[in-house]
Amino acid sequence: MALLEVKNLGISFGGLRAVDNVNFDIEKGQLYGLIGPNGAGKTTVFNLLTGVYRPTDGTIKLGGIDIVGKSPSEICQAGIARTFQNIRLFKKMSVLDNVKTALHNQIRYSLVTGFFHLPAYFKAEREMDEKAMEILRVFDLDGQADYLASNLPYGKQRKLEIARGLATNPKLLLLDEPAAGMNPNETAELMETIRLVRDRYQITILLIEHDMKLVSGICEKILVLNFGTELAAGAPEEVLNNPEVITAYLGE
Amino acid sequence: MESIIEQFINGLRSGSIYALIALGYTMVYGIAKMINFAHGDIIMVGAYTLYVTTVRLKMPVIPAVLFTVAVCAVLGIIIEKVAYKPLRNAPALAVLITAIGMSFLLESVALLIFNANPITFKSIITIDSVSIGGVTVSGITIVTLVVTLICMVSLTLFITKTKAGSAMRAVSEDRAAAELMGINVNRTISMTFAVGSALAAVAGIMFVCQYQSIKPMLGAIPGLKAFVAAVLGGIGSVPGAMLGGMLLGVIESISKAYISTELSDAIVFGVLVLVLLIKPSGLLGRNRIEKV
């Protein structure tokens, strides 16, 4: 059974059919690419998967369980985490606190424990600090743990978003244009990091990207959307050489 | 010289009460992006609850105080769930009007139950005044200052150092992103209302012990002044609310003593206008300070 099964997914905003009849399965451990021209509905698919929008049609199953209609926080707890096309970190919080906030549901202590700083509070907070630092180390951000998120350079903010998503302990991590605005060196480094994250944390990754080098370099399977519908799906070399895909991107 | 110090300390006392109330305004604003105009009436509910528990039910002081705080915290949660939650995506004006309506509702219910005659209430704080080098400080002042200090320190620790506090900060910054990181936004908002209302209950208790009279409209004026304090300090900013409240209390007290009692409110609001002219976001407003 695939980790994520999307069947007949669709959503309308008034008369606009933003996503229509999209089907795909993602196997556990796969690195899956979602590509398509601007306005193809890629981010809308992310919003549907994470519960920001409620689909008008179709089902989304994570590990065999239907998640349609659940709230974003419930879906996050069920195991889908994401990053954003436009960075949406908690800018006024420290780098460490950004990650710790995402650890919220894994380490629990009661409100009373927290308010009165009982011993359990210190234990839990220490555990959270350690876990957060461990994640930050993977992204080479541990040296800047005390920085305000807004003071990080752009590339590192992108990394921190991935780190924060990862901290929610996802089964499936959605990356929305992780390489946007990065130079070729940064992109190459990012590719390495994405692969490393997948192997180290044994998770599945679905990413939206415009950088074809990155997509063909790391994705094992690709789905192409155009005008909200599937245009092609398959292995990268096959899909990227598909004349229809090239036409969609470059025109006739 | 002694008298100006005394006035200053008196100002800190009423400022403490304003600050405790202002914290509720500012926290709710930070999280729910709304002005909860029913917040002042929570003080009144706290005052009546304290009266019922200590005078009518003859409960001992400590349990009565804890009960009062709990009642107000729960009331805060209920108000949010009933009146504000359904309007979470409504225009700001609708929420504002609802908040004003909620304020009238609370006052009217109090009027129905206790009628308009003020109830005399004997202070539950029975600590003698202390004289230090010619400056006399009343027991209630000492208790108010100490309790406020404790509340502020624990609130700050709560917000900056605990999981629930970081959830509050995250929701205040970007509600949608926080939700996508697995934070239960509804629970976080409820918690904010509970904490804010609990602080208002504490303020209410201090207030009635000071003025020793309870009436249904009791919360309106301190509520309004605390709102001014929150704006003065920079709405959305927790340290701003603390500073704004204290500053307001001191200005009020000093102008009452040395300029004119009648003009003191005018002076207080004049200062607000002046500060907002120079710094529209309030003293500690905007980016410099984390919001809650």
Side-chain angles (χ1 to χ4, degrees):
Chain A
M1 183 183 62
L3 176 72
L4 184 79
E5 295 168 276
V6 175
K7 284 210 172 54
N8 194 23
L9 188 67
I11 185 170
S12 304
F13 298 105
L16 177 76
R17 190 77 180 153
V19 171
D20 187 34
N21 193 24
V22 168
N23 298 280
F24 59 97
D25 288 351
I26 303 180
E27 300 297 331
K28 189 173 181 306
Q30 218 168 20
L31 254 165
Y32 202 104
L34 181 60
I35 65 170
N38 287 326
K42 304 180 295 291
T43 299
T44 307
V45 168
F46 269 27
N47 284 334
L48 290 166
L49 293 180
T50 50
V52 176
Y53 300 148
R54 199 194 164 115
T56 18
D57 317 276
T59 57
I60 304 167
K61 283 185 181 172
L62 181 73
I65 299 158
D66 195 356
I67 56 168
V68 169
K70 288 194 177 182
S71 75
S73 63
E74 285 167 343
I75 289 177
C76 173
Q77 286 166 42
I80 301 183
R82 72 174 288 179
T83 65
F84 301 89
Q85 191 172 350
N86 312 311
I87 299 176
R88 283 173 76 173
L89 289 167
F90 304 124
K91 292 193 183 62
K92 291 171 211 156
M93 290 167 66
S94 72
V95 169
L96 183 69
D97 278 353
N98 264 277
V99 176
K100 281 175 74 178
T101 304
L103 287 169
H104 204 81
N105 289 305
Q106 294 157 65
I107 299 171
R108 291 176 182 273
Y109 57 80
S110 73
L111 207 56
V112 177
T113 309
F115 204 90
F116 293 105
H117 286 35
L118 301 178
Y121 157 83
F122 291 103
K123 188 171 163 281
E125 285 287 325
R126 206 167 40 239
E127 202 181 323
M128 282 172 95
D129 281 339
E130 280 165 14
K131 231 172 162 173
M133 284 307 281
E134 187 191 309
I135 295 171
L136 287 177
R137 230 169 278 136
V138 173
F139 291 87
D140 196 22
L141 287 164
D142 49 324
Q144 285 122 328
D146 297 332
Y147 282 40
L148 278 189
S150 56
N151 292 347
L152 284 183
Y154 179 84
K156 295 220 166 191
Q157 292 195 14
R158 285 239 167 250
K159 279 186 171 180
L160 179 56
E161 263 213 328
I162 303 178
R164 184 179 65 172
L166 206 55
T168 64
N169 192 24
K171 297 186 182 98
L172 175 66
L173 181 61
L174 311 182
L175 304 177
D176 199 344
E177 297 199 25
M182 284 191 174
N183 66 35
N185 287 338
E186 288 171 325
T187 307
E189 199 193 316
L190 180 75
M191 280 166 70
E192 279 312 304
T193 315
I194 292 174
R195 244 195 234 111
L196 180 96
V197 161
R198 193 261 311 253
D199 297 341
R200 181 168 173 160
Y201 292 92
Q202 306 275 307
I203 56 169
T204 311
I205 293 175
L206 170 63
L207 60 88
I208 294 176
E209 193 43 75
H210 281 301
D211 188 321
M212 289 308 149
K213 229 175 99 190
L214 186 143
V215 173
S216 57
I218 64 172
C219 290
E220 288 143 9
K221 205 175 168 193
I222 292 177
L223 172 71
V224 189
L225 286 185
N226 195 22
F227 300 117
T229 55
E230 292 172 45
L231 189 66
E237 54 275 18
E238 174 189 329
V239 166
L240 296 180
N241 292 321
N242 182 329
E244 278 187 70
V245 174
I246 295 168
T247 313
Y249 263 94
L250 301 175
E252 295 286 337
Chain B
M1 190 57 210
E2 278 85 15
S3 96
I4 198 165
I5 294 175
E6 265 171 34
Q7 290 308 328
F8 182 77
I9 293 173
N10 285 343
L12 286 184
R13 183 197 59 223
S14 43
S16 298
I17 293 171
Y18 296 147
L20 287 174
I21 309 167
L23 283 169
Y25 276 111
T26 222
M27 286 168 68
V28 164
Y29 180 82
I31 293 258
K33 302 285 176 282
M34 64 164 289
I35 303 293
N36 178 15
F37 272 116
H39 189 62
D41 296 296
I42 302 279
I43 308 162
M44 175 271 293
V45 174
Y48 275 113
T49 314
L50 187 69
Y51 163 73
V52 170
T53 48
T54 53
V55 178
R56 294 277 179 89
L57 303 177
K58 309 242 181 300
M59 271 165 82
V61 170
I62 303 279
V65 166
L66 292 178
F67 182 76
T68 302
V69 171
V71 164
C72 289
V74 171
L75 180 69
I77 296 176
I78 294 173
I79 289 176
E80 195 274 330
K81 287 263 185 270
V82 172
Y84 305 145
K85 194 179 162 204
L87 297 174
R88 212 168 277 165
N89 297 315
L93 197 58
V95 187
L96 185 75
I97 302 293
T98 309
I100 294 172
M102 186 45 87
S103 164
F104 282 126
L105 177 72
L106 291 176
E107 285 165 14
S108 307
V109 169
L111 206 56
L112 275 177
I113 301 175
F114 298 99
N115 76 46
N117 296 331
I119 299 169
T120 327
F121 180 82
K122 205 173 159 302
S123 171
I124 54 165
I125 298 165
T126 48
I127 295 175
D128 290 335
S129 46
V130 182
S131 192
I132 315 159
V135 178
T136 314
V137 185
S138 68
I140 168 110
T141 304
I142 297 171
V143 173
T144 305
L145 292 180
V146 169
V147 167
T148 305
L149 191 70
I150 293 171
C151 286
M152 285 178 173
V153 171
S154 35
L155 181 71
T156 308
L157 285 178
F158 177 68
I159 291 168
T160 53
K161 297 273 186 235
T162 71
K163 213 162 68 88
S166 72
M168 283 163 78
R169 282 184 290 154
V171 171
S172 130
E173 255 199 66
D174 189 333
R175 188 190 293 172
E179 198 171 13
L180 285 161
M181 294 307 134
I183 290 170
N184 186 332
V185 171
N186 286 333
R187 226 180 56 195
T188 308
I189 292 179
S190 291
M191 194 169 63
T192 308
F193 272 84
V195 173
S197 304
L199 291 171
V202 174
I205 293 168
M206 298 302 159
F207 189 82
V208 287
C209 288
Q210 178 66 33
Y211 296 97
Q212 315 210 340
S213 159
I214 309 178
K215 53 180 200 269
M217 295 298 288
L218 157 139
I221 294 300
L224 187 65
K225 285 194 179 156
F227 173 60
V228 170
V231 174
L232 186 71
I235 192 125
S237 157
V238 166
M242 297 176 184
L243 178 71
M246 290 296 184
L247 212 59
L248 198 91
V250 170
I251 295 171
E252 189 185 62
S253 164
I254 299 279
S255 50
K256 258 185 192 155
Y258 296 100
I259 304 172
S260 147
T261 313
E262 289 81 31
L263 282 180
S264 75
D265 281 351
I267 293 169
V268 163
F269 286 91
V271 169
L272 173 77
V273 170
L274 213 67
V275 168
L276 293 187
L277 277 176
I278 299 163
K279 206 162 176 305
S281 54
L283 292 172
L284 300 180
R286 281 284 156 77
N287 300 331
R288 295 201 293 127
I289 300 294
E290 66 203 359
K291 291 190 299 181
V292 147

